[in-house]
Amino acid sequence: MAKFIRRYESTIYGKYRIAYLKYGVLIGLAISLYVLICGTIGHPIQTPDNYGTEAVMLWGIFLSTYLYRNSLPEKLVSLKELMLLGIGMGVVASVVYGLILWMYTSVLFPDWVNIFIESRISVMPDASESEEAKIAVDAVRNYSA
């Protein structure tokens, strides 16, 4: 299996691992900045993942793969390599965003977890409808990250 994966690793077209880290960290910071800007203008996000954060990641990956391709000497890279580059950047960006979100909710703004909890409860069935719904709402209310 290692030979199969290694067969497609290319050193001709650039250094992918550095691009994963560099662009992934930048995309993760851009997503975090988007979340902070939304909070400061009075529209805090209600869930850690939403269409806005996904759009920032998507455009960040597109822009980063474009910049990476243009930084190569002959601008020669296959679609498969760009897709692997996008996946790697997405994983690194998600980890960076998760760490910043964890720091933000545990240190700077611990009430944000309560916003997530209330948002989750607002889409759940009413607790007065059934015993199962009451147990589910109580489980969400008593959850601590």
Side-chain angles (χ1 to χ4, degrees), residues 4 8 11-12 15 35 40 44 47 58 61 66 73 77 81 85 87 104 110 112 123 131 135 139:
F4 178 74
Y8 290 106
T11 56
I12 297 171
K15 299 178 181 175
V35 170
T40 57
T47 58
L58 182 68
I61 289 174
Y66 177 77
V77 66
E81 291 168 337
L85 184 68
I87 290 170
Y104 184 72
W112 206 28
V123 296
E131 188 63 29
I135 291 170

Side-chain angles (χ1 to χ4, degrees), residues 29-45:
L29 291 173
I31 297 169
S32 302
L33 184 64
Y34 166 77
V35 170
L36 291 175
I37 288 173
C38 285
T40 57
I41 62 172
H43 300 290
I45 63 170

